[in-house]
Amino acid sequence: MKWSELFTSSVGKKFVMGLTGVFLIGFLVVHVGINACIWAMDDGQMFNRAAHFMGATVVIRILEVGLFAGIFLHFIQGLMLEFQNRKKRAIGYQIPMANRGSKWYSRSMGLLGTIILIFLIIHWKQFWIPSRFTELPDVTYDNGNPAPVHDLFGLMKETFSHGWVVIVYVIACISLAYHLLHGFQSAFRSLGVYNSRYLVLINGVGIGFSIIVPLAFAMMPVSMYFNWV
Amino acid sequence: MEHYTMNLTLKVWRQKNKKDNGHFETYSVSGISSEMSFLEMFDVLNERLVVEGKEPIAFDHDCREGICGMCSMYINGRPHGPWEGTTTCQLHMRAFKDGDTIVVEPWRANAFPVVKDLVVDRSAFDRIIQAGGFISVNTGNAVDANAIPIEKDKADTAFAAAACIGCGACVAACKNSSALLFVSAKVSHLALLPQGDPERKARVVDMIAQMDKEGFGSCTSTGACEAVCPKEISITNIARLNAEYARAGLTTDK
């Protein structure tokens, strides 16, 4: 067996999807944690400093490259699988099986993932590019560290003052929730976790994660739109 | 349940041979007993077609007691019909009521080409088994049945996986036409037992390579296979196969 086969056979492709999936789940934990600082009720100081730390630390900048590699690998492999798999049944059924036996979201991972990718492009345009490449107004806080930091909090408040942006973000979060509801447990199964004691744990944690994390993300634009922060 | 008779409308896929495009044909059948099996209902229809000088409907069947894995009808949008854990031959007409319309299609997958009407070619499964789904250890004289200790739980799990009759309902149900439930049942059944251990790495690698060659899709864990399996093979076998494959890929010599 060649090394490449381990990642290119039909089971190998599952490993790629599972490994990148778990990595992206890990990223979501970091992202939601840092963003939750907007609720510190200090006019964005804690959040701006946390965001500054993420942008200014070399280890995290290196990880960021890995993150983009992971996202694109997950997306390209996922889309290729979707198209290849569809071709395996040239003549379909008169009466499709539909929801008798599987959940709609487990059969719609390609669609949900595409919605998430479209959202990500909008999201990068709105936040990631301005904070990394184009100039953002700085703010200086006078307690201890005099160095100025980007006012990402101000950009969030401005961006989420538009209703349509909030709606786009909420739709993306709902897509993410359903994507995770299948993807979380499926990723671990793909990586070969079969012991029922772990599967029970992973299913439970997966459902909790799929609800809590997207809900927290969705509440961020909503809180800003309604001026709760 | 009370015995009753019913009149039904059948929409059946008819296809002369591999090259024919095929079409649905509608038949009315009357006086069908609720005690008949689904295949007996087809026998009644076929006898009538023969008397009328028409070509009877070709369908696969053998044991008619749910253990051989030959029957393979996709009935009203579900492989093996509406009952859970049941093969087509064990599906009885009491599952339907008078006046019902029943749509019967063959298994649909590129790897299972239609031979005629409802008969599909499932020899791809045989070739997957030939690639590694066996034990080639020389056993010598028959040994005492209890000479090799096997944990009861493992023996039970291996037996549950060995219950797979290779009917192909998992492929028919899967949106990707993946055969992974079948392959994982065969891999698990042998990997769990000491007799299967010596060849476990080559077995999983070779069987997956053959499965990919046959043109089945990749598994995306939707669970449709497990839901329609007449032998109720658990999808956990697929996770076990993934672990077997990773282990083989990472630790194999060559």
Side-chain angles (χ1 to χ4, degrees), chain A residues 1 9-10 14-15 81 85 87-91 93-95 97 100-102 106 182 186 189-190 192-194, chain B residues 11 24 74 76-77 105 108 110 171-172 174 176-177 211-212 215 218-223 236 239 242-243 245:
Chain A
M1 185 188 187
S9 68
S10 62
K14 283 160 67 97
F15 293 155
L81 272 175
N85 284 337
K87 276 193 268 172
K88 303 292 183 185
R89 178 172 290 135
I91 301 164
Y93 291 110
Q94 175 92 353
I95 303 181
M97 224 178 106
R100 285 169 289 179
S102 59
S106 77
H182 176 69
S186 181
R189 283 172 179 277
S190 292
V193 179
Y194 65 84
Chain B
K11 270 184 81 181
F24 278 100
Y74 184 92
N76 281 349
E105 304 172 65
R108 294 288 190 198
N110 297 358
V171 178
C174 177
N176 309 323
S177 310
M211 180 187 90
D212 289 351
S218 326
C219 166
T220 52
S221 307
T222 67
T236 303
N242 296 335
Y245 194 78

Side-chain angles (χ1 to χ4, degrees), chain A residues 16-31 66-75 116 120 176 179-180 184 209 213 217:
Chain A
V16 174
M17 294 307 285
L19 283 169
T20 50
V22 170
F23 176 61
L24 295 175
I25 285 168
F27 160 73
L28 285 179
V29 176
V30 177
H31 194 0
L67 174 66
F68 274 95
I71 288 174
F72 285 112
L73 195 57
H74 192 79
F75 178 72
I116 295 167
L120 282 179
L176 178 67
H179 197 78
L180 283 170
F184 192 101
F209 190 92
V213 172
F217 274 127

Side-chain angles (χ1 to χ4, degrees), chain A:
Chain A
M1 185 188 187
K2 283 183 268 175
W3 275 108
S4 60
E5 223 175 302
L6 189 55
F7 299 102
T8 55
S9 68
S10 62
V11 177
K13 286 173 187 163
K14 283 160 67 97
F15 293 155
V16 174
M17 294 307 285
L19 283 169
T20 50
V22 170
F23 176 61
L24 295 175
I25 285 168
F27 160 73
L28 285 179
V29 176
V30 177
H31 194 0
V32 80
I34 299 243
N35 279 31
C37 296
I38 63 164
W39 290 308
M41 294 305 174
D42 57 358
D43 212 18
Q45 187 181 153
M46 189 195 277
F47 172 71
N48 277 342
R49 290 199 156 178
H52 178 76
F53 167 78
M54 294 302 280
T57 312
V58 66
V59 176
I60 290 164
R61 294 303 290 271
I62 293 166
L63 279 175
E64 195 177 41
V65 177
L67 174 66
F68 274 95
I71 288 174
F72 285 112
L73 195 57
H74 192 79
F75 178 72
I76 293 164
Q77 178 79 92
L79 213 59
M80 276 169 60
L81 272 175
E82 181 75 22
F83 286 119
Q84 284 164 357
N85 284 337
R86 279 179 187 214
K87 276 193 268 172
K88 303 292 183 185
R89 178 172 290 135
I91 301 164
Y93 291 110
Q94 175 92 353
I95 303 181
M97 224 178 106
N99 290 334
R100 285 169 289 179
S102 59
K103 298 272 190 288
W104 70 267
Y105 52 83
S106 77
R107 299 192 310 275
S108 312
M109 293 298 274
L111 174 70
L112 293 167
T114 306
I115 294 173
I116 295 167
L117 187 85
I118 293 169
F119 158 76
L120 282 179
I121 293 167
I122 299 170
H123 185 56
W124 290 329
K125 169 83 174 54
Q126 284 173 331
F127 293 104
W128 185 73
I129 293 173
S131 74
R132 287 285 182 279
F133 302 108
T134 51
E135 288 301 302
L136 260 187
D138 283 344
V139 281
T140 312
Y141 301 109
D142 55 2
N143 52 349
N145 186 354
V149 295
H150 283 334
D151 187 16
L152 211 54
F153 187 78
L155 180 63
M156 276 177 87
K157 288 213 86 162
E158 206 286 310
T159 310
F160 297 134
S161 63
H162 307 288
W164 72 268
V165 179
V166 177
I167 291 167
V168 167
Y169 273 64
V170 170
I171 291 171
C173 289
I174 293 169
S175 302
L176 178 67
Y178 279 110
H179 197 78
L180 283 170
L181 205 51
H182 176 69
F184 192 101
Q185 49 92 19
S186 181
F188 287 98
R189 283 172 179 277
S190 292
L191 294 174
V193 179
Y194 65 84
N195 323 51
S196 53
R197 63 189 305 183
Y198 287 115
L199 284 179
V200 168
L201 196 68
I202 287 165
N203 284 344
V205 173
I207 292 169
F209 190 92
S210 312
I211 296 168
I212 293 165
V213 172
L215 186 66
F217 274 127
M219 286 314 290
M220 290 163 194
V222 171
S223 333
M224 293 220 158
Y225 184 77
F226 291 107
N227 280 320
W228 295 339
V229 290

Side-chain angles (χ1 to χ4, degrees), chain B residues 14 27 46 49-50 53-57 116-117:
Chain B
R14 300 302 308 262
Y27 301 95
N46 270 349
L49 290 175
V50 171
K54 293 176 185 157
E55 180 85 11
I57 301 161
K116 188 177 182 180
D117 298 338

